[in-house]
Amino acid sequence: MNNKTNGNTNNNNITYHEQVTIQNTLKLREILKTLPPFAKDYFRAMEPVSSAKTRISYAYDIRIFFHFLLSENPALKNKQMSDLTVDLLDQIQAIDIEEYMEYLKVYDSAEDDRLQTNGERGLKRKMSALRSFYTYYYKREMIHTNPTLLVDMPKLHDKEIIRLDADETAELLDYIENCGNELCGQKKVYYEKTKYRDLAIVTLLLGTGIRVSECVGLDVGDVDFKNGGIRIVRKGGSEMMIYFGEEVEAALLKYLEYRKNITPVAGHENALFYSTQRRRIGIQAVENMVKKYAREVTTTKKITPHKLRSTYGTSLYRETGDIYLVADVLGHKDVNTTRKHYAAMDDDRRRKAASVVRLREKSTPQGGE
């Protein structure tokens, strides 16, 4: 595996992804200090089967549950987070869990007093975290009840999959390549500094379907022009070679030629894509960049890097009809996830079936031969 460095270290023996894991691990430890002491057991048990990023998300979600109990339950009025013990979980009933679900729809954040809201997916994620938390202590017989199993999980309604059409994809790439003609002053200067990078990133996302997190984690050494592929680290830490076509290759070669003129900040020498500050580009910067260009192409679709991934998956499924190939290339662990996202493509094929099968041959009109 190639060395990937982060701006916070000059140690070239630590890969970029290892550094991110270290940072997330330290962040998780800080969050755990704000949870009841017994919660550490659960997160320690999660470690072998989850990423540090996942555990951070769960820790935030579990913390909201305990903030709810401390603020809404009269019996805990004078208690602090550090006072709570595992027996508290046995005192919670199904109706308390239902009240918590209602609370999650709109509540004040404990960090900054801002109003927070959750839709279907936010509710489902937080309830899944709580159910997993309860299950851990119930299985280990540290508690005797599990009220989360008595409450129905929030139902998710399917959302329309937003993707670019073929003509919109071409228009987006053309716009990134040529919009400098419409600019002047500082905007033109900025565009000239970033156009090869931006075109390479968008072409790569559209041509391979990789995640934005996988894109920003790429190093120069991960690009293999001989075999036409890039080595990426998937969610969970597994490595995979993803192959690209001629358009992606051309965009990368143009950018790499321009990249030779950039002197990176120490610790970022290996990064493939740089920000204007000459550091490894971040996820937020790529998201902002994609939205900026996409707004000029379509005003009816909210295009993000993830939507470019959906665009690639749609194109690949249209061309191959192979749902297992799409799942493999996109890195879906469960093919049902892929099938759910691209089921609409099957509808197109079903419609064609309606006109293919004839129940009766058309009769020859009277008087005809």
Side-chain angles (χ1 to χ4, degrees):
M1 182 175 173
N2 297 291
N3 286 339
K4 301 187 177 200
T5 58
N6 180 280
N8 296 326
T9 179
N10 289 321
N11 186 350
N12 288 326
N13 293 320
I14 298 179
T15 70
Y16 167 74
H17 295 282
E18 288 170 343
Q19 182 64 25
V20 170
T21 299
I22 291 171
Q23 291 172 346
N24 283 336
T25 299
L26 294 175
K27 184 176 182 180
L28 176 62
R29 288 177 183 173
E30 291 304 309
I31 300 170
L32 289 181
K33 292 176 183 178
T34 67
L35 286 171
F38 70 88
K40 290 181 181 179
D41 297 334
Y42 167 71
F43 288 97
R44 191 182 303 113
M46 275 186 74
E47 185 171 351
V49 294
S50 64
S51 67
K53 186 177 179 181
T54 297
R55 295 195 295 279
I56 287 173
S57 296
Y58 270 52
Y60 280 133
D61 291 344
I62 297 300
R63 187 167 68 179
I64 293 170
F65 174 67
F66 285 113
H67 277 306
F68 159 75
L69 293 179
L70 289 171
S71 63
E72 304 295 322
N73 193 318
L76 301 175
K77 184 177 180 181
N78 298 317
K79 295 284 186 178
Q80 302 294 322
M81 193 73 78
S82 57
D83 298 328
L84 305 183
T85 60
V86 71
D87 337 6
L88 172 65
L89 299 182
D90 257 334
Q91 300 171 32
I92 305 302
Q93 300 178 2
I95 192 169
D96 297 312
I97 304 297
E98 291 171 347
E99 288 177 357
Y100 174 58
M101 287 177 62
E102 182 63 29
Y103 169 85
L104 285 174
K105 293 177 181 177
V106 184
Y107 63 95
D108 288 323
S109 169
E111 281 72 35
D112 50 22
D113 291 326
R114 286 192 302 177
L115 210 59
Q116 301 289 328
T117 61
N118 283 284
E120 291 177 347
R121 279 164 176 74
L123 281 172
K124 180 76 176 285
R125 193 194 74 190
K126 289 175 173 58
M127 289 305 299
S128 294
L130 184 60
R131 183 172 282 187
S132 171
F133 188 73
Y134 254 93
T135 299
Y136 168 80
Y137 295 100
Y138 184 74
K139 282 184 175 180
R140 281 154 184 78
E141 299 182 345
M142 298 171 73
I143 58 175
H144 306 290
T145 59
N146 186 351
T148 63
L149 297 177
L150 304 176
V151 176
D152 293 333
M153 293 289 278
K155 184 178 180 181
L156 294 184
H157 294 85
D158 290 337
K159 294 174 66 176
E160 179 188 4
I161 302 300
I162 298 173
R163 55 179 74 86
L164 291 172
D165 297 329
D167 59 332
E168 291 172 329
T169 297
E171 191 178 345
L172 175 62
L173 294 173
D174 288 344
Y175 181 79
I176 298 173
E177 201 165 22
N178 302 308
C179 69
N181 300 327
E182 307 169 9
L183 304 174
C184 59
Q186 282 300 113
K187 286 186 177 180
K188 189 174 181 67
V189 172
Y190 182 82
Y191 166 76
E192 293 297 336
K193 286 178 63 177
T194 60
K195 72 173 181 178
Y196 293 114
R197 180 203 69 187
D198 294 352
L199 186 61
I201 289 175
V202 173
T203 305
L204 182 63
L205 294 173
L206 282 167
T208 62
I210 62 173
R211 298 177 176 91
V212 63
S213 59
E214 295 162 351
C215 177
V216 301
L218 287 169
D219 280 348
V220 176
D222 290 327
V223 185
D224 180 356
F225 286 108
K226 181 180 178 181
N227 294 299
I230 51 172
R231 186 184 306 280
I232 62 170
V233 177
R234 289 292 195 195
K235 287 168 67 175
S238 61
E239 288 188 10
M240 186 176 187
M241 181 67 81
I242 297 292
Y243 298 95
F244 53 74
E246 294 177 358
E247 292 172 290
V248 174
E249 179 181 12
L252 286 173
L253 285 171
K254 278 185 183 179
Y255 166 68
L256 286 172
E257 192 62 33
Y258 178 81
R259 183 183 176 279
K260 291 177 182 177
N261 302 314
I262 301 173
T263 303
V265 171
H268 294 260
E269 296 87 353
N270 295 330
L272 175 58
F273 295 115
Y274 290 132
S275 69
T276 51
Q277 287 77 39
R278 298 175 291 116
R279 299 173 179 272
R280 183 184 294 274
I281 196 168
I283 291 175
Q284 188 68 55
V286 175
E287 290 176 340
N288 291 339
M289 179 265 289
V290 169
K291 290 176 184 176
K292 176 185 73 174
Y293 288 122
R295 279 197 300 266
E296 302 299 326
V297 174
T298 173
T299 56
T300 59
K301 298 176 181 178
K302 187 178 179 182
I303 299 301
T304 64
H306 191 74
K307 302 302 186 296
L308 302 186
R309 178 171 158 84
S310 296
T311 300
Y312 171 80
T314 299
S315 300
L316 183 60
Y317 187 53
R318 272 201 179 116
E319 293 298 320
T320 66
D322 188 341
I323 199 70
Y324 292 97
L325 174 63
V326 177
D328 181 49
V329 175
L330 292 182
H332 291 165
K333 293 181 180 179
D334 185 352
V335 73
N336 288 319
T337 301
T338 318
R339 186 173 287 111
K340 179 181 177 182
H341 280 75
Y342 298 99
M345 304 307 301
D346 285 327
D347 288 340
D348 294 341
R349 300 165 79 186
R350 292 190 194 105
R351 286 191 184 95
K352 291 179 182 177
S355 59
V356 170
V357 178
R358 293 189 181 279
L359 303 182
R360 293 188 297 178
E361 288 299 324
K362 287 185 177 178
S363 59
T364 304
Q366 285 187 349
E369 293 297 327

